[in-house]
Structure formats: structure tokens, C-alpha cells
Amino acid sequence: MEQDSQCTAEKELLEGVSRITTFSTTNPLDEEGNQPKAEISCQVRKENSEKDDLQDSNATLSPNSSMTTKELQEYWRNEKSQCRQVKLLFEIPSTRIIEHHLSKYVVYKIIILQTGSFDSNKSVIERRYSDFEKLHRNLLEEFSEEMEDVTFPKKTLTGNFTEEIINERKLAFKDYLRFLYSMKYIRRSKKFIDFLTRPELQEAYGCLRGGQYTKALEILLEVIGLQERLTRGNPVSIVPTLCAIVVCHKDLENPASAFEYGEKALSRLCVHTSHRYYIPLLETMITLAYELGKDFLSLQEKLEEWKTKKDPIRVFTLKELAVREYVQ
């Protein structure tokens, strides 16, 4: 009985396969498009899909965008590269003890490496125990559930400067940073990124405000590489740093370098024309382009187009915006 049932099922299956095969080989061509109907259906779906993709693309861009095809291609190429995850490694190879009149503390040297890169892609910063402690408190406020299993080295009343305690904390802080970076929401958070970049940026902007452009530029060029690796998913966030570099190069009379970094910043603002840095940067780029003998008319057209669409408001210069960053 079971064998008969099985034979019947196999027979029905073979007949079904035969019908499908016959249909796919003998189905007449559609008279209008000279294609099988199934293929036409697929083609329609493909065209609709491409149309939807185009609509989505246009929706992302400003509806009144004057970007050329080349600019669009460059923008999306930049966006694609920015979205690739860059894996970073954290090492703490050494420490040093700082003594002031009324205080004494340990500073940990942190080396941040990009996996598969050469030494030129590493960043070096220094942080003390209190900096790590502040980061931990800040992250607990926002990511309490994610960090419930994270152990943080506790303070001790004595022995904080012994070699044993310092070495233990070196290892603990290295594991701590690696653990934080392994969690997407934390490594993308402003609090984590600020811990790794803010002190240096504050120093750089302080130098910029004081007219120490060479020193400010040196620090900014160190920081920008790390910022780029930390903010791949948010390329607009590094525009202020890029613009500060433009200001430093311009004041140091390096127009070619200023223009180079200005182009990088402008490419990140192609579809963010309402950004506070867009118009000041555009005006600076026009001046630099004219000075360098480059095409400034296309930049001028963008500026004029923006002015016709927006209500006239007071816009700061690029330098005025830069000196306002990180003002306590």
C-alpha cells in the first residue's frame, strides 16, 4: 500500500516537472515585444526597480541641486568608501608619571592602528586614569545595558604608582578600549569619539585662536586621520576640522594646500548645502580658485544659486566659524 502511494507521488512529481519543462521550451514569444512573457515581466520589474533606485537617489539629493555628473559620481564614490568599516586596534605600550606641585598622575600612551596598514596610519594620544573614568561614566548613562558586563579598573587608596598596578591598568585599559570599539553603537557614539579626539582638537583650536597656525595645523593633521577612521558612517562630522586646516593653510600662505583640503570638505557638503560651513567654505574656495588660476565660475554659480533660494542672512567667514569651535 505504501509502495503504491510512493509510486503515485513520484509519478505526479515527474508529470509536474515535464509540464514545467514543456512550458519553458515551447511557450510562444510575445507578439509585441518578441520576448517570452516571463522575461518581459522580469524586465518590467527591473526597470521599475531602477526607476525606484533613481527616485531614492534623487530624494537623497537636494531637488534643486546643481551638481554635475562628475560631482555626483565623486560624491557617491566618497560616500561608498566612507561606509566601509575600518577596523582599529588599540595598544598601550608605555606610560609616564607626571608630577606637578600639588598633583601626581599616570599618563597612558595609546597607539591606534588600522588593521593591515603601515605605521603612517597610526595615531598616538595620551590619556590619564581620570579621562578613562569620565568616559566610563558618560557611556554608562547612554549604554547601561550594553556595558553591564564591562569591568573598569577601580581606584586604590595606595599603590597607584607602583609598576605592578600601572602594568595591570595598561592591560585593562587596552582590553577596555577594544571591547568598546567592538560594539557598533558605542564606537560610533560622540562620547567615545570625543574621548579619542577632543583634547587634541581643543588644543589645536586654542592655537588657531592664538594665531599659532603652524602648531595648530600640525595637531589638526594628526587628528584628521583618526577622525576619518572613526567617523566613516558620518563624513560630514569632520567638515569643521577640514575647514580649520583650510584656514591654517590659507593664513600660512599655502593656497594650493588650502584648496586641496577645501575640496575634501566641499565634497562632503554636496548634498548638505544648509550646513553652516557650506557658504563660508564656498566663498573661501572662490577666492582660492581665483588666486590659483583655477575654475572659480562654477563655484560662483553655486553661491549665486544658493543666495537666490535662501533668505539673506548674516553668514560668518570661514575663519570666524573656525575660531568659535571648542570655545568653552
Side-chain angles (χ1 to χ4, degrees):
M1 184 75 175
E2 292 179 358
Q3 290 180 348
D4 292 342
S5 176
Q6 184 176 356
C7 290
T8 302
E10 290 178 353
K11 183 177 179 181
E12 291 177 352
L13 179 60
L14 288 171
E15 289 175 353
V17 171
S18 177
R19 284 196 299 272
I20 293 172
T21 304
T22 303
F23 173 80
S24 62
T25 56
T26 61
N27 188 43
L29 296 179
D30 180 76
E31 294 179 357
E32 184 176 356
N34 203 32
Q35 294 180 0
K37 293 182 179 179
E39 289 185 13
I40 292 174
S41 177
C42 290
Q43 181 67 25
V44 170
R45 285 198 298 271
K46 182 178 178 183
E47 289 175 357
N48 288 338
S49 175
E50 290 175 351
K51 185 177 179 181
D52 291 341
D53 289 343
L54 182 61
Q55 289 175 343
D56 290 342
S57 169
N58 290 335
T60 304
L61 295 174
S62 170
N64 296 316
S65 174
S66 60
M67 294 168 65
T68 64
T69 302
K70 183 179 178 181
E71 288 173 332
L72 280 170
Q73 290 173 341
E74 177 62 28
Y75 174 79
W76 291 119
R77 187 159 45 245
N78 180 63
E79 285 287 305
K80 185 177 180 181
S81 66
Q82 292 294 332
C83 290
R84 294 178 188 142
Q85 183 185 347
V86 175
K87 293 184 179 179
L88 301 179
L89 299 176
F90 298 86
E91 299 291 341
I92 304 181
S94 61
T95 61
R96 61 191 180 100
I97 297 175
I98 306 294
E99 291 190 61
H100 291 302
H101 295 295
L102 300 175
S103 65
K104 181 179 179 180
Y105 54 88
V106 179
V107 170
Y108 298 85
K109 180 180 180 180
I110 306 170
I111 297 179
I112 306 164
L113 294 163
Q114 180 176 327
T115 56
S117 67
F118 298 103
D119 287 344
S120 59
N121 286 328
K122 74 179 180 182
S123 300
V124 181
I125 59 176
E126 288 187 325
R127 298 292 183 268
R128 53 190 291 189
Y129 181 94
S130 59
D131 295 323
F132 280 97
E133 191 177 37
K134 181 180 178 181
L135 170 66
H136 191 67
R137 287 198 308 269
N138 289 339
L139 291 177
L140 282 175
E141 293 175 359
E142 189 173 352
F143 306 102
S144 57
E145 292 184 8
E146 291 86 346
M147 297 187 62
E148 60 183 0
D149 296 327
V150 179
T151 56
F152 188 83
K154 295 180 180 179
K155 274 186 177 179
T156 58
L157 296 176
T158 60
N160 286 308
F161 302 101
T162 64
E163 185 177 353
E164 181 183 359
I165 292 296
I166 291 175
N167 286 333
E168 285 179 3
R169 286 182 176 174
K170 276 170 54 178
L171 294 174
F173 284 142
K174 181 175 72 172
D175 291 339
Y176 178 71
L177 289 174
R178 287 179 175 180
F179 183 80
L180 295 181
Y181 185 77
S182 70
M183 292 184 284
K184 180 175 67 174
Y185 295 109
I186 291 182
R187 71 169 173 263
R188 291 182 178 178
S189 70
K190 185 177 184 301
K191 293 175 180 178
F192 181 67
I193 294 171
D194 278 353
F195 168 80
L196 296 171
T197 61
R198 190 177 180 88
E200 285 72 23
L201 286 171
Q202 286 177 321
E203 182 183 1
Y205 278 99
C207 292
L208 193 156
R209 283 189 289 272
Q212 302 177 53
Y213 301 114
T214 301
K215 187 176 181 181
L217 182 60
E218 181 183 343
I219 300 171
L220 289 168
L221 291 175
E222 285 286 334
V223 177
I224 191 66
L226 179 57
Q227 270 191 307
E228 286 178 327
R229 295 194 289 273
L230 289 168
T231 60
R232 288 272 167 157
N234 184 19
V236 177
S237 64
I238 67 168
V239 165
T241 306
L242 289 170
C243 289
I245 292 174
V246 171
V247 170
C248 289
H249 274 305
K250 189 171 183 297
D251 279 38
L252 290 170
E253 298 183 357
N254 300 323
S257 297
F259 191 83
E260 176 188 346
Y261 280 92
E263 284 187 315
K264 291 180 180 180
L266 207 55
S267 69
R268 287 162 169 79
L269 296 179
C270 285
V271 293
H272 302 280
T273 57
S274 60
H275 195 282
R276 70 187 190 281
Y277 270 91
Y278 180 69
I279 293 304
L281 176 60
L282 205 52
E283 290 175 337
T284 299
M285 290 295 285
I286 292 170
T287 302
L288 290 169
Y290 182 79
E291 182 180 349
L292 293 167
K294 294 180 179 290
D295 172 33
F296 65 91
L297 294 178
S298 58
L299 297 171
Q300 187 70 45
E301 288 174 3
K302 290 177 186 293
L303 180 62
E304 295 301 325
E305 183 182 1
W306 186 90
K307 287 181 178 180
T308 60
K309 296 173 185 174
K310 304 287 183 179
D311 294 330
I313 55 174
R314 182 177 182 273
V315 178
F316 292 112
T317 65
L318 196 67
K319 188 171 183 178
E320 287 173 337
L321 274 182
V323 299
R324 282 168 168 74
E325 294 284 345
Y326 293 95
V327 175
Q328 299 296 334

